[in-house]
Amino acid sequence: MSANDPGAGEESSGTDGAQTTDSADTTDHADATADGNTIGDADVEDRPGVKARGEVVRLVVTGAGGRMGAEVIEAAVDREDVEVVLAVNRSETAAVAGVEVELADHFADRLAAVEADVLVDFTGPASAVDYAEICADEGVAFVTGTTGFSDAELDSVRDASDEVPVLKAANFSRGIAALRRAVREAVAAVPGYDVELTETHHNGKRDAPSGTANTLLEDVEDVRTDLDERVHGREGEAPRTETEIGVHARRAGDVTGEHEVLLAGNDEVLELTHRAGDRGVFAAGALDAAVWLTGREPGWYGFDDVVDS
Ligand code: NAD
């Protein structure tokens, strides 16, 4: 494992290194079983280190000064099942909801000192890789909502799942989990229809299309194997072909996140849309994931495992 100090790492926050196939939040790599047990189920309780029902999960937040990290802390202080025992940010940040945010230097030592159960990460891909490695070394479960991973970065995060439970989700909204299922069903029901995906996010988002958009695209492509080309925006002479999916990323204002899948053909149009009204949606999902992941077997998990449990 690397001795990287994530506190000294990336220059820019958010979704650095945005070449990405970052999307699949499936459990294909897990030798662990996403068995749907909740904390407190008998066989889960029997595993060493697993919290008994009602015990408070000791939580670390990285990227605590960012939009999502701060939301996670604010949501955590309102819950009784989690306690933030360490919150770090790369740059100096004021306390969030009364929780002190520290600089991320010498993070591995500090993580070991707080005896954490699980770390929730919303930083950037390179930092998330470093935090995953440290969690693997320290035996701490790792939840990341960071998007924009390159294939190599994603592989590194997956490596950590050999040692500890790792849950990665490009979107922690239960509504998006439902949208993904609806899209798969709808696409299967209208073979041959044109498919266009549009996503809108705030003007500070770095990666495009969003990790959630990539996940939805994979869902569509899994069902519609005849669609083999993603066309990102169109300009000039650009007639549509039958095998393409149009992909459109809008960046404006403070939009939390909107995703729309449009299916059209045979004189009808079907639009499946999700709008996140507030980042608290993602924070709540990330905390549900953190509680669910605590004490699981090492392995690679997705938010669907949490939703299905
Ligand atoms: P942001 O830029 O507001 O926050 C990122 C924070 O991480 C910054 O405060 C930055 O200083 C900090 N940071 C960067 N490197 C660090 C390091 N090594 N150690 C500690 N702190 C570090 O970005 P954001 O809007 O909060 O988004 C963060 C990530 O989460 C992005 O990849 C975004 O796409 C993703 N996101 C995911 C979901 C989801 O549901 N999965 C929802 C929203 C955003």
Side-chain angles (χ1 to χ4, degrees), residues 6 13 15 66-68 89-90 127 131 145 147 169-172 205:
S13 65
T15 52
R67 284 172 284 248
M68 275 310 303
N89 199 60
R90 195 190 39 195
S127 296
Y131 285 125
T147 62
N171 198 302
F172 282 108
K205 184 161 180 61

Side-chain angles (χ1 to χ4, degrees), residues 99-115:
V99 174
E100 189 188 345
V101 178
E102 302 173 33
L103 286 174
D105 311 331
H106 309 295
F107 181 77
D109 294 342
R110 308 215 340 254
L111 181 65
V114 295
E115 296 182 358

Side-chain angles (χ1 to χ4, degrees), residues 173 176 179 255-260 273-278 281-282:
S173 145
I176 285 287
L179 175 68
V255 178
T256 304
E258 298 181 1
H259 293 87
E260 179 206 88
T273 304
H274 176 270
R275 292 190 188 89
D278 189 278
V281 170
F282 309 128

